[in-house]
Amino acid sequence: MTLAPYTLSDLRPAVAAAIRAPSLHNSQPWRFQLRHGGIEVRVDPQRQLPACDPSGWAARMGCGAAVFNLRLALASAGTPARVRLRPYPEDPDVVARLVPDRPRPATPTERELYAAVTRRHSNRRPFWPTPVPPEARWRLVEAARAEDGWLELVIGAAPVQALAEVVRGAHRVLERDRDYQAELARWVRLDAAVDGVPATAGGPAAEPQDLLPQRAFGVRTRAPGRDFEPEPLVAVLGCAGDHPRDQVAAGQALQRVLLTAAAEGLAVSMLSQPIEVPAAREQLRLALGRAGVAQMVMRIGYGQPGWPTPRREVAEVIDAAGVPIGAPSAVALGA
């Protein structure tokens, strides 16, 4: 059986969803291209962060999250994709290739998650004390598992305090890195922009009593009594390995968890500091006692609605097609 290749009419709306994925400092490190009837996602080397992300881990995670959004958009249009991660050993910047699969209607879960794409954004404000119910917790864990990842929910005051100390230690290490702090400052936006983190989307200024450290994106002072929640639900996302392919896959798992949270009406902020500092990441692994590698720490709860960070235009992130659009060759099932 042969399948019609993807075209620009498939690509554009799918990319509009893909670019809503999260990325470190909203750097948006992705590019998209039609090639031989498929859609390829590539890391944009001009948008990697040499001080904050020297290994490219965060860029690959962000691109993996964008791949998951692409999958949802294509499935919701009735043109689902099969995905091959890191398809070209000779071109490691290509993190994924999506080719048409058998046409079918979107599943209820795909429709639900796709509807959450535009609602999902990081919420760096204090959350309400309302606990996350067991059913929602179960759905978050299952979301990670569906993408071959795992989600460890850190329960209890003592375990949360222990994890918070690891996060604070990593945060202190990064605060002492002048190059890191200078690069972070360059991605804070005080005026209108199409990338970076607007100061208005940052949390309130840090205070000594805060359990979990927040990056210095915001410029707002904190009103009395507006401390962060004393017992947040903290979750650690991980996967089996830490090779570049694993990191792209972990980005897909992360985005599925984030969209599941958004569909449940939950707010999430991400704490990548203990992943960025190798010693802290090892401490995290030992503290969890799990096989595999931690890829992200998240704070989850209920909070006031926030604002999404800006995105570049779709046309700006699409490269010229590698082959003529609508070329007569079709995509063979199983290719």
Side-chain angles (χ1 to χ4, degrees):
M1 177 182 177
T2 58
L3 300 170
Y6 287 131
T7 67
L8 277 175
S9 62
D10 301 307
L11 179 68
R12 290 191 181 105
V15 169
I19 61 176
R20 296 307 317 169
S23 58
L24 187 62
H25 308 340
N26 193 26
S27 53
Q28 304 173 39
W30 40 61
R31 300 203 67 79
F32 307 89
Q33 182 183 49
L34 280 174
R35 187 167 183 262
H36 300 303
I39 298 172
E40 294 180 353
V41 184
R42 173 184 295 272
V43 169
D44 185 346
Q46 297 183 352
R47 287 188 163 260
Q48 286 190 247
L49 309 174
C52 298
D53 184 31
S55 70
W57 156 81
R60 288 185 286 271
M61 286 279 289
C63 286
V67 169
F68 187 76
N69 280 4
L70 272 177
R71 288 168 49 196
L72 288 178
L74 293 168
S76 295
T79 55
R82 289 178 292 114
V83 182
R84 183 182 172 194
L85 300 183
R86 303 265 295 177
Y88 311 125
E90 71 282 3
D91 191 356
D93 282 347
V94 179
V95 300
R97 175 173 169 79
L98 292 80
V99 297
D101 203 347
R102 294 178 186 272
R104 59 166 175 80
T107 67
T109 297
E110 287 170 336
R111 291 196 296 270
E112 178 188 47
L113 296 181
Y114 182 57
V117 165
T118 55
R119 303 200 308 269
R120 184 224 64 83
H121 59 270
S122 294
N123 190 329
R124 302 174 182 87
R125 294 172 160 191
F127 295 162
W128 299 324
T130 308
V132 178
E135 176 65 21
R137 297 182 185 212
W138 177 84
R139 286 200 65 194
L140 296 174
V141 171
E142 288 301 303
R145 184 176 293 130
E147 298 298 323
D148 296 324
W150 49 262
L151 190 72
E152 182 77 21
L153 301 181
V154 183
I155 307 297
V160 170
Q161 285 284 351
L163 183 141
E165 184 53 42
V166 174
V167 179
R168 288 195 298 267
H171 188 77
R172 288 192 293 267
V173 169
L174 297 176
E175 281 191 317
R176 294 193 295 267
D177 186 327
R178 293 184 178 181
D179 291 338
Y180 186 101
Q181 293 302 317
E183 188 169 80
L184 172 63
R186 287 196 293 273
W187 287 92
V188 177
R189 304 296 188 233
L190 301 178
D191 299 311
V194 296
D195 57 11
V197 180
T200 54
E207 297 284 355
Q209 69 270 21
D210 292 345
L211 179 66
L212 296 167
Q214 298 287 318
R215 296 189 194 275
F217 290 126
V219 295
R220 293 173 295 167
T221 57
R222 185 178 310 182
R226 289 297 296 155
D227 281 345
F228 285 85
E229 61 282 2
E231 295 184 14
L233 175 61
V234 179
V236 182
L237 176 90
C239 60
D242 196 36
H243 296 293
R245 188 185 187 282
D246 298 314
Q247 294 162 1
V248 179
Q252 294 189 85
L254 172 65
Q255 184 65 352
R256 188 172 189 128
V257 170
L258 294 174
L259 292 176
T260 300
E264 291 283 336
L266 292 165
V268 181
S269 64
M270 287 175 277
L271 302 159
S272 62
Q273 298 96 317
I275 311 301
E276 298 173 52
V277 177
R281 200 180 198 189
E282 177 62 11
Q283 285 182 291
L284 194 59
R285 184 188 70 80
L286 294 173
L288 293 174
R290 288 201 66 141
V293 183
Q295 299 288 349
M296 185 60 68
V297 178
M298 288 171 277
R299 168 179 150 263
I300 305 171
Y302 293 98
Q304 294 180 354
W307 299 272
T309 50
R311 293 296 189 273
R312 293 179 289 163
E313 294 292 335
V314 167
E316 189 178 340
V317 299
I318 294 178
D319 290 325
V323 295
I325 303 299
S329 61
V331 179
L333 186 64

